[in-house]
Amino acid sequence: MYPDPRRPALIVWRYLLTDRITGPPARVWRVGELVDDLRAAGFALDDAPSRMVSNLLRTEVARGRVRRVGWGRYGPGTIPGSTRRRIRTRARAARAGAAAARTDDDLPFAG
């Protein structure tokens, strides 16, 4: 689908973040938690991951899918059912692709 499944297109990054924020469980997320979640899923982030996440979420806030709750904190917004299904489907596919592309070097040290 993409040359490197660990670095998807911008819209897929947005879908990944929106899917995580809107749940389940739907709750308020900090930017740092979202960065950690993306790394744990196997995605390769840029040098400034917090900036990347907040820039991507700016578009979702403008669309009303995510709401900004405070400094570096985001919560779920309102998403129509068909849009929610499309976002979840593409986010699941991206997570599966990133997990499949993971190498042994990407796994955390467990010793």
Side-chain angles (χ1 to χ4, degrees):
M1 186 154 117
Y2 301 107
D4 183 2
R6 296 171 3 124
R7 293 185 180 275
L10 288 178
I11 192 167
V12 178
W13 283 115
R14 289 188 2 235
Y15 284 174
L16 286 162
L17 294 167
T18 302
D19 180 49
R20 183 55 68 201
I21 291 170
T22 58
R27 66 178 184 90
V28 174
W29 288 78
R30 294 181 184 273
V31 171
E33 292 174 320
L34 293 167
V35 168
D36 293 342
D37 182 66
L38 289 172
R39 282 192 176 133
F43 291 99
L45 302 173
D46 294 338
D47 292 335
S50 297
R51 182 185 307 169
M52 177 184 138
V53 167
S54 58
N55 285 343
L56 290 165
L57 287 175
R58 188 178 308 128
T59 302
E60 296 303 301
V61 168
R63 292 175 184 262
R65 297 176 185 161
V66 173
R67 60 188 174 85
R68 188 167 185 252
V69 179
W71 187 266
R73 297 168 44 128
Y74 295 88
T78 305
I79 305 176
S82 59
T83 304
R84 182 181 303 268
R85 283 188 292 279
R86 182 183 68 242
I87 287 172
R88 289 230 165 112
T89 301
R90 291 189 70 184
R92 280 191 205 124
R95 281 192 182 92
R102 247 183 160 166
T103 63
D104 289 337
D105 295 337
D106 297 332
L107 298 176
F109 180 67

